[in-house]
Amino acid sequence: MEKKQKESTEIWLSKILPNWYSIKDDPWVKLSWRQGLPPAVRGLVWPLALGNTLRITEELYNYYTSQASLEIDEGKMIASFEASTKLILDELVSSDVYVRRLRTATKMAMGKQEAMLQIEQDIHRTFSNLKLFKPGSDLHGHLRTVLGAFVIHRPDVGYVQGMSYLAGMFLLYMDPPEAFMCLCNLLTRHFFLAFLSADTDHVYSMFRLFSSWLKTSMPQIHRHFEAIHLGPELYLLNWAFTMYAKILPLDT
């Protein structure tokens, strides 16, 4: 196994990565990927594959992290909220506009604070059996920072349980700014946005598609699941949203 992984690493480093943009869609490259990316090249391949259509830069990441640290500081958060309500009052045009803007500001401020608290609770649960993100470790701090920065980047989405596994996986193979770039570009894919926006029609169409695949590929398991009334809506969402990082071995 070690010999095979070493050979695969050499192929990726010497043949595939130097020519990524010209051969990334070749069947043999896709087959090499499906056979498993060696850990040594994951931090190089994943950012290339995801791209950066959002134009996330390290400067932008640093700005978001500084804003996230303000949200965690309750006193500063209150001061920031008071400043935003004062701005609304200064721009007051009518009572309807005031109420609408005030509700929006309150929802956003409290939503961010709640998200930060949820992140704190979830960090130590991430890959908990491996104790990779235990309090006091560098990875623990990096995970908190990356997730907090995402909340600032997309306050309309906020934090959703499961994101910690995606961010945590990136952090195992790359520095925080690049992990943040990958997380942002990944979560804007239609697959994830359907879950995050609660697009029930799209989500249930994916459940039906999975059920059809299961019936074809693993008919005995499909019949068993049907017999005990275990539909994909009861388990697939948690698996798919974390890209199976929560249930499969780390190497896989």
Side-chain angles (χ1 to χ4, degrees), residues 188-215:
T188 54
R189 299 293 179 97
H190 182 66
F191 173 81
F192 287 98
L193 287 178
F195 290 128
L196 295 171
S197 64
D199 183 349
T200 52
D201 289 340
H202 187 80
V203 170
Y204 273 90
S205 72
M206 284 194 275
F207 289 156
R208 288 190 295 270
L209 182 64
F210 177 84
S211 185
S212 176
W213 170 86
L214 188 66
K215 184 177 182 180

Side-chain angles (χ1 to χ4, degrees), residues 4-38 41-42 44-46 48-49:
K4 185 178 179 181
Q5 193 171 89
K6 183 178 178 181
E7 291 173 351
S8 179
T9 300
E10 290 175 354
I11 290 172
W12 276 95
L13 292 175
S14 63
K15 296 182 178 180
I16 300 177
L17 284 170
N19 305 293
W20 172 259
Y21 292 105
S22 60
I23 66 172
K24 63 185 177 70
D25 294 321
D26 286 4
W28 76 272
V29 174
K30 292 184 176 182
L31 179 61
S32 298
W33 196 337
R34 282 197 293 272
Q35 289 174 341
L37 278 183
V41 302
R42 290 178 179 180
L44 301 172
V45 177
W46 290 347
L48 286 173

Side-chain angles (χ1 to χ4, degrees), residues 5-227:
Q5 193 171 89
K6 183 178 178 181
E7 291 173 351
S8 179
T9 300
E10 290 175 354
I11 290 172
W12 276 95
L13 292 175
S14 63
K15 296 182 178 180
I16 300 177
L17 284 170
N19 305 293
W20 172 259
Y21 292 105
S22 60
I23 66 172
K24 63 185 177 70
D25 294 321
D26 286 4
W28 76 272
V29 174
K30 292 184 176 182
L31 179 61
S32 298
W33 196 337
R34 282 197 293 272
Q35 289 174 341
L37 278 183
V41 302
R42 290 178 179 180
L44 301 172
V45 177
W46 290 347
L48 286 173
L50 283 168
N52 189 15
T53 56
L54 298 178
R55 300 182 185 278
I56 301 294
T57 63
E58 187 169 352
E59 289 75 19
L60 196 58
Y61 168 73
N62 290 334
Y63 170 75
Y64 288 142
T65 57
S66 65
Q67 294 299 305
S69 65
L70 289 176
E71 294 296 335
I72 297 173
D73 187 320
E74 185 176 355
K76 292 181 179 179
M77 188 207 75
I78 293 172
S80 176
F81 175 66
E82 288 176 345
S84 66
T85 55
K86 182 179 184 300
L87 181 63
I88 292 170
L89 287 169
D90 291 342
E91 295 179 351
L92 185 58
V93 180
S94 69
S95 59
D96 288 342
V97 173
Y98 166 70
V99 171
R100 189 163 59 248
R101 290 185 182 179
L102 184 58
R103 283 176 179 167
T104 301
T106 305
K107 181 180 178 182
M108 296 291 276
M110 297 311 294
K112 289 176 187 176
Q113 188 70 1
E114 289 171 2
M116 299 301 176
L117 293 173
Q118 186 63 57
I119 288 170
E120 288 295 326
Q121 294 174 11
D122 282 356
I123 291 176
H124 74 278
R125 301 171 184 163
T126 307
F127 301 114
S128 57
N129 58 321
L130 300 175
K131 295 181 171 56
L132 294 168
F133 297 93
K134 59 183 179 181
S137 67
D138 288 341
L139 282 174
H140 183 277
H142 292 332
L143 184 55
R144 177 202 288 124
T145 303
V146 167
L147 292 173
F150 182 81
V151 171
I152 302 299
H153 170 63
R154 288 298 301 267
D156 56 321
V157 172
Y159 172 75
V160 177
Q161 284 188 306
M163 285 182 183
S164 62
Y165 280 86
L166 296 173
M169 184 64 77
F170 287 135
L171 284 168
L172 293 178
Y173 298 100
M174 58 191 77
D175 292 333
E178 197 166 29
F180 176 71
M181 179 197 76
C182 286
L183 181 68
C184 292
N185 282 280
L186 178 67
L187 291 179
T188 54
R189 299 293 179 97
H190 182 66
F191 173 81
F192 287 98
L193 287 178
F195 290 128
L196 295 171
S197 64
D199 183 349
T200 52
D201 289 340
H202 187 80
V203 170
Y204 273 90
S205 72
M206 284 194 275
F207 289 156
R208 288 190 295 270
L209 182 64
F210 177 84
S211 185
S212 176
W213 170 86
L214 188 66
K215 184 177 182 180
T216 302
S217 303
M218 302 179 176
Q220 287 183 307
I221 292 180
H222 182 266
R223 286 195 296 271
H224 175 63
F225 280 7
E226 281 200 325

